[in-house]
Amino acid sequence: MSSVEDYRARLASLQGSWDTLSLLSHLRGDGADMSGTRQAFEALANDLVHSLSEETYKKAMLALRAKAQIAIDVIVRNLFERTADIGFLAIDDEIRDYLRQRRRDGSQAGELNDRLRGRFREYISKYSVYHDVVLLDTSGEVLVRLDERYEVARTSHELLKKTLTTRQGYVETFGRVDLLPDVERTLIYSFRVGEGSRTEAVLCLCFRFDDEVKGIFAKLRAAEDWSELCFLDEHGTVLASSDAWQIPIGATVPLVLDTGGRIVRFAGREYLAVSCRTQGYQGYMGPGWLGHAMLPIEHAFDAQTGADGKHISRELLAALRESETIFSPALRKIPVQADAIQRELNRTVWNGNVRLATSTDSSSDFTKVLLREIGNAGRRTQETFERSISELQETVVSSILDDARLLASLAVDVLDRNLYERANDCRWWALNGALSRYLSQGGGDRDPSEILRHINSLYTVYHDIVLFDSEGCIVAVSNATHAGKVGSIVREPWVAATLELRDSQQYAVSAFAPSVLYNGQHTLIYGAAIRNEARRVVGGIGIVFDCAPQFTAMLRDALPRTESGELVSGSIGLFVDAHMSVVAATSRYQPGDTIDLPREILNTNEGAPQTVCMNGVHYAIGVRKTSGYREYSGMGVFSLILIPLGAATEHVTLRRAEAQSHRRLAAHEAVVDVATFYCGQQRLGLMRDEIVEALDGTQIRPIPNAPAWHAGLLMYREAPLPVIDLGRLLNAGRGSDARNVIAVRAAGTGQLFGLLVDELADIPEIAVNRILPVGEMNTRGAAILDRAVRPEHPEEPVLMLMNIEQLLIYAGAAGFKLAPATASDTQLEAAS
């Protein structure tokens, strides 16, 4: 992990500096013992490296697992449609008529074969996922097939026996089949054909397997992606591979069904690997295959931030620092621990400078430099912690953005594939001879409602299938609860569009809108014209897609999942149109609602917004527009996958830069030592001799019924120290959760009190002639801050000096009482 190694090297270099500074501080005996700080930073550095490596590994494995899961779920959804196709085609009237005539004539007439072959051709022109259709007799003889290039008279493959004896409706056969002698592996769906209990033939649909998996893998792998995707059987044998040179078909790879994946060896190389079982679809679990993804270990942790990281603002990353979605609890604690160590170090250095300001020791200049270097080392160490975590956070957010886009692509891909099937279904069912005869003759040998109900039992994604005549009057339905609609006229626009279609390859589709055929809810209805033998339109068929559960299921399958396979809490999936109107959603949104997001996010070009804030939560958002599947052009909607990053909280960045003046003071200039600190964004100062020392204020205990600016009491030298919250008193606000207390001695009495401030700064020597009075002002703040230090540079913040006497006058008027001076205080004051 090159990024982790880089930070380990930086931390090792800093640790060397700490060793040196700790030794010098110990030898100098300046009271700033660095051994505890050095050990604390060393332990935290080890925790950081460990956490960085864990997070980097987890990120890579989650991304890999997502690809494997998507791949297997997409192919299983596709194959579910195939199981319905073979069942319906096996009862096609044209095939049954062919078998009746063959049985009657006792031979295969060329004209009869050509007519059935034409029927197969019509089928393939609509269901282009197949490349061949074969009809066999019960002995395995080829009766009719679409692809006449193959001169195979008979099959001896076991699929024939399995199909004739299975108790299931269909048989899935994958591998080498003698019906396709030049194909290494193929996927064939077979089904018995006959009348009543008599089986006369076996029908085979040959699926474009290689073509299909190539498309699936291509959508999941970018050009620069080193990951390899496979489909495996239950023994780990490779059935399909995204790169047969790297992972050959037929090879056996280690199965990795562990939840988190692991490292495996294959062909002399180490990989991160994960295997996934399908989640299934409509109860169909596929042929028992596994999705498998492998990533060479040497490329597994390549930096992936790229251009995405440049679009992630520093403010957003800072706001997400506490996000449980981004980081583990262990890693989230590291910046807090580092900040606590740094605060203690700042107090140590600050107190050392307070003591040093009155020292007459000839080596005080050396001690001052040493203290400054200790403070700088602490800041460099904390900055390294901050930078390492921020860069990892940036990479993780960028990775989540990649996941969101990948999952949005999955959602539209599944949608396009699903609606492709609906466009095929309506056109094929419109060619049903029994339905055509019923509409042409006003009756027929079969009940059309029975036909529609059987179709609907195989294709469970439909709410209803309706048959209507040339006037748009419903004559049959598949949904028994809609029997009362028979005889009514449907006046929705899609009906007229269906009746105007010119040939069997065309279809009509409704707008996504409420329909009386879907209980007044939003849906899509696909329609195809039904013609008589003279090719005149006599009516049509309309298939009412069960949009509400089907669209929601597609979106749910596209939502991100955790290591344990659970949906990421708070993630949202949406299908929306170009006006941000909801088509479907996994959350509380209903079709027709408008999403309160800018339409610009639908612009999927580079530079489009990648994160959004909605309902108080920051989300990574993936956006993709439907682009169609094969010859189907797509619905023209957008999928939005929103992955929560964290709550939208206000984040204030403190000014940490110390505005030090590096001007060399003239020998004759009178100077004073000023101890500086921050309240909010305001830099304030006190004379050095007014300060006792800086303390940790985390143990302050509040006082009931005290003013808001009275922070409470802090035990100090075995006595309670009253503490003023300076930020609240001056209305400067609170910039952070830091709890620094400055113990201050009141002039004359020696009594003590504390000032609660945000951040300790430096203790510079300031020329007296730079200290100017503020002037007469009536506000409380101006009375307390009565002097200012003239900046030497335009960018330097103004340093305001506090008047302790005025502060105590105001506080005392409100009942604030000082702590009594103790013996130790008096002794300390005399000593100094």
Side-chain angles (χ1 to χ4, degrees):
M1 301 179 183
S2 57
S3 60
V4 178
E5 285 295 330
D6 178 51
Y7 279 109
R8 180 152 57 185
R10 294 189 204 181
L11 290 167
S13 175
L14 284 168
Q15 200 62 42
S17 299
W18 277 115
D19 291 342
T20 302
L21 292 171
S22 179
L23 176 61
L24 291 173
S25 178
H26 179 72
L27 292 174
R28 173 61 190 156
D30 54 27
D33 184 7
M34 292 297 102
S35 59
T37 304
R38 178 182 63 81
Q39 292 170 4
F41 272 132
E42 182 178 12
L44 201 57
N46 291 333
D47 290 344
L48 175 64
V49 170
H50 180 70
S51 295
L52 288 175
S53 61
E54 279 194 336
E55 292 287 338
T56 304
Y57 176 80
K58 183 174 74 172
K59 177 181 70 70
M61 288 306 313
L62 282 175
L64 201 61
R65 182 178 182 81
K67 292 180 181 180
Q69 191 69 63
I70 288 171
I72 190 62
D73 286 342
V74 168
I75 191 70
V76 166
R77 273 181 169 270
N78 194 313
L79 300 186
F80 166 78
E81 300 286 351
R82 313 291 67 89
T83 66
D85 290 348
I86 186 64
F88 185 73
L89 186 59
I91 61 169
D92 184 64
D93 286 345
E94 295 281 350
I95 297 176
R96 289 182 171 184
D97 288 344
Y98 169 85
L99 293 173
R100 288 192 200 101
Q101 292 187 49
R102 180 178 180 275
R103 186 169 63 249
R104 185 184 63 213
D105 298 341
S107 62
Q108 300 183 53
E111 183 180 346
L112 190 61
N113 286 4
D114 289 343
R115 189 169 70 183
L116 185 58
R117 193 173 292 110
R119 183 70 169 175
F120 291 164
R121 189 173 297 110
E122 186 82 49
Y123 187 84
I124 294 299
S125 68
K126 294 167 179 57
Y127 295 89
S128 57
V129 293
Y130 302 110
H131 64 88
D132 200 4
V133 186
V134 185
L135 184 66
L136 308 169
D137 70 10
T138 55
S139 67
E141 180 183 350
V142 175
L143 301 179
V144 182
R145 76 181 302 168
L146 176 63
D147 194 338
E148 297 182 273
R149 294 176 302 169
Y150 294 106
E151 299 179 356
V152 178
R154 181 181 299 275
T155 180
S156 58
H157 196 277
E158 61 180 357
L159 75 83
L160 180 67
K161 181 180 179 181
K162 284 185 177 181
T163 307
L164 292 172
T165 59
T166 184
R167 294 185 179 182
Q168 294 184 330
Y170 64 88
V171 170
E172 284 174 318
T173 302
F174 181 79
R176 193 178 184 92
V177 179
D178 55 7
L179 288 171
L180 301 165
D182 61 343
V183 179
E184 285 295 324
R185 66 203 191 289
T186 188
L187 181 59
I188 295 178
Y189 286 81
S190 53
F191 205 101
R192 294 187 298 271
V193 182
E195 291 183 306
S197 60
R198 184 176 67 252
T199 299
E200 298 183 69
V202 169
L203 181 67
C204 300
L205 276 175
C206 303
F207 182 61
R208 296 181 185 273
F209 177 77
D210 287 337
D211 184 51
E212 181 64 20
V213 297
K214 182 179 179 181
I216 292 173
F217 293 158
K219 283 183 176 290
L220 293 172
R221 294 176 73 241
E224 66 280 3
D225 193 349
W226 284 89
S227 60
E228 304 294 343
L229 300 173
C230 313
F231 291 133
L232 311 177
D233 66 13
E234 66 274 17
H235 304 295
T237 303
V238 178
L239 308 176
S241 171
S242 60
D243 186 346
W245 291 102
Q246 298 291 325
I247 306 176
I249 294 165
T252 300
V253 300
L255 291 177
V256 189
L257 289 167
D258 315 74
T259 301
R262 57 187 169 86
I263 298 173
V264 301
R265 292 184 64 185
F266 175 75
R269 198 176 191 183
E270 286 187 308
Y271 292 86
L272 292 186
V274 64
S275 308
C276 296
R277 293 186 175 91
T278 180
Q279 300 174 79
Y281 181 63
Q282 300 280 320
Y284 171 71
M285 301 304 292
W289 298 344
L290 302 169
H292 187 76
M294 298 170 67
L295 182 58
I297 199 79
E298 64 268 29
H299 298 290
F301 310 108
D302 291 348
Q304 298 174 9
T305 304
D308 286 343
K310 299 177 182 178
H311 296 294
I312 304 169
S313 68
R314 298 291 101 187
E315 292 78 10
L316 175 59
L317 290 176
L320 298 178
R321 179 57 54 86
E322 298 303 319
S323 171
E324 296 181 7
T325 306
I326 303 295
F327 283 146
S328 65
L331 195 53
R332 291 201 310 275
K333 286 194 299 186
I334 287 177
V336 178
Q337 293 173 310
D339 194 49
I341 296 171
Q342 183 62 35
R343 284 201 308 270
E344 186 60 37
L345 176 66
N346 288 344
R347 279 193 293 271
T348 301
V349 173
W350 206 75
N351 289 332
N353 277 307
V354 167
R355 290 190 296 272
L356 187 65
T358 57
S359 173
T360 58
D361 192 332
S362 59
S363 62
S364 61
D365 287 344
F366 171 79
T367 304
K368 186 179 293 186
V369 172
L370 177 59
L371 288 170
R372 184 167 61 246
E373 286 305 310
I374 290 172
N376 290 339
R379 282 187 290 275
R380 287 197 305 271
T381 303
Q382 189 175 25
E383 286 169 4
T384 300
F385 282 108
E386 292 279 345
R387 187 162 55 250
S388 64
I389 292 174
S390 292
E391 288 185 8
L392 177 62
Q393 187 182 35
E394 187 173 277
T395 302
V396 170
V397 173
S398 177
S399 177
I400 294 173
L401 287 168
D402 287 340
D403 291 345
R405 280 193 292 267
L406 177 66
L407 294 170
S409 297
L410 167 66
V412 295
D413 188 38
V414 169
L415 177 65
D416 283 339
R417 288 166 178 270
N418 198 299
L419 298 185
Y420 159 84
E421 303 290 345
R422 312 296 66 92
N424 296 342
D425 291 347
C426 69
R427 291 181 294 165
W428 177 249
W429 299 338
L431 299 179
N432 185 282
L435 298 180
S436 175
R437 288 191 295 274
Y438 186 89
L439 292 174
S440 302
Q441 302 167 11
D445 53 344
R446 295 177 62 189
D447 179 3
S449 293
E450 181 184 337
I451 297 173
L452 299 183
R453 282 195 297 270
H454 180 69
I455 295 172
N456 212 160
S457 70
L458 293 172
Y459 295 81
T460 55
V461 297
Y462 297 116
H463 176 74
D464 200 0
I465 304 174
V466 298
L467 184 69
F468 54 91
D469 63 19
S470 58
E471 301 299 322
C473 180
I474 296 177
V475 299
V477 295
S478 68
N479 190 333
T481 63
H482 291 175
K485 291 183 169 60
V486 174
S488 63
I489 295 178
V490 183
R491 303 190 183 279
E492 295 175 3
W494 66 270
V495 175
T498 299
L499 295 172
E500 293 174 359
L501 296 175
R502 297 183 178 181
D503 59 54
S504 64
Q505 282 298 100
Q506 293 183 318
Y507 64 92
V509 61
S510 72
F512 182 72
S515 172
V516 295
L517 299 176
Y518 197 54
N519 303 325
Q521 299 180 63
H522 285 69
T523 189
L524 292 173
I525 303 177
Y526 286 77
I530 297 178
R531 292 171 168 79
N532 59 16
E533 292 184 355
R535 313 305 298 162
R536 184 173 66 85
V537 174
V538 293
I541 189 170
I543 55 178
V544 185
F545 190 46
D546 197 4
C547 279
Q550 295 301 321
F551 281 171
T552 301
M554 294 177 202
L555 288 169
R556 280 185 61 83
D557 287 350
L559 292 179
R561 295 184 178 270
T562 63
E563 290 176 278
S564 61
E566 300 296 322
L567 292 177
V568 172
S569 177
S571 56
I572 300 172
L574 297 162
F575 287 133
V576 301
D577 64 17
H579 304 289
M580 277 294 177
S581 181
V582 173
V583 172
T586 60
S587 57
R588 58 183 176 83
Y589 297 102
Q590 298 297 319
D593 290 349
T594 300
I595 300 297
D596 187 21
L597 289 174
R599 293 185 186 177
E600 288 75 16
I601 69 170
L602 300 180
N603 174 17
T604 56
N605 296 329
E606 186 176 353
Q610 296 170 323
T611 60
V612 295
C613 185
M614 186 171 69
N615 301 325
V617 178
H618 288 292
Y619 291 92
I621 184 168
V623 181
R624 283 293 183 271
K625 185 179 181 181
T626 55
S627 56
Y629 173 67
R630 295 187 180 272
E631 60 272 14
Y632 176 70
S633 59
M635 186 180 172
V637 299
F638 298 82
S639 70
L640 274 59
I641 299 296
L642 291 91
I643 304 177
L645 298 173
T649 56
E650 182 179 358
H651 180 80
V652 180
T653 303
L654 280 175
R655 297 191 57 151
R656 296 189 178 273
E658 297 177 358
Q660 299 185 65
S661 173
H662 297 286
R663 178 175 68 91
R664 185 179 298 276
L665 296 170
H668 62 277
E669 281 189 291
V671 296
V672 291
D673 293 315
V674 177
T676 65
F677 47 89
Y678 281 99
C679 279
Q681 299 297 307
Q682 177 66 61
R683 189 179 183 218
L684 305 174
L686 284 169
M687 293 298 150
R688 201 287 319 162
D689 56 9
E690 295 175 317
I691 294 172
V692 178
E693 64 178 308
L695 311 170
D696 180 1
T698 55
Q699 299 300 317
I700 294 176
R701 294 294 179 263
I703 299 176
N705 304 318
W709 49 263
H710 194 335
L713 300 174
L714 177 67
M715 291 303 297
Y716 175 60
R717 296 180 184 173
E718 301 181 354
L721 180 74
V723 179
I724 294 173
D725 187 332
L726 195 56
R728 289 185 183 275
L729 185 72
L730 300 177
N731 296 318
R734 308 249 358 128
S736 74
D737 294 328
R739 307 287 283 178
N740 294 292
V741 173
I742 301 173
V744 180
R745 180 185 300 106
T749 66
Q751 292 176 294
L752 302 180
F753 67 98
L755 296 176
L756 180 63
V757 302
D758 288 333
E759 190 176 8
L760 301 175
D762 57 340
I763 304 179
E765 291 181 339
I766 295 177
V768 173
N769 59 18
R770 290 178 56 206
I771 301 176
L772 306 173
V774 172
E776 293 294 330
M777 295 187 182
N778 295 323
T779 63
R780 181 182 74 228
I784 295 172
L785 305 177
D786 63 346
R787 291 162 295 167
V789 176
R790 183 183 67 245
E792 293 192 311
H793 307 286
E795 67 276 7
E796 184 179 334
V798 175
L799 171 61
M800 301 296 295
L801 301 184
M802 294 182 59
N803 186 319
I804 292 297
E805 183 178 353
Q806 289 293 327
L807 172 65
L808 292 177
I809 290 173
Y810 174 81
F816 183 78
K817 298 184 182 302
L818 302 179
T822 65
S824 58
D825 293 332
T826 307
Q827 293 168 2
L828 181 65
E829 183 175 8
S832 65

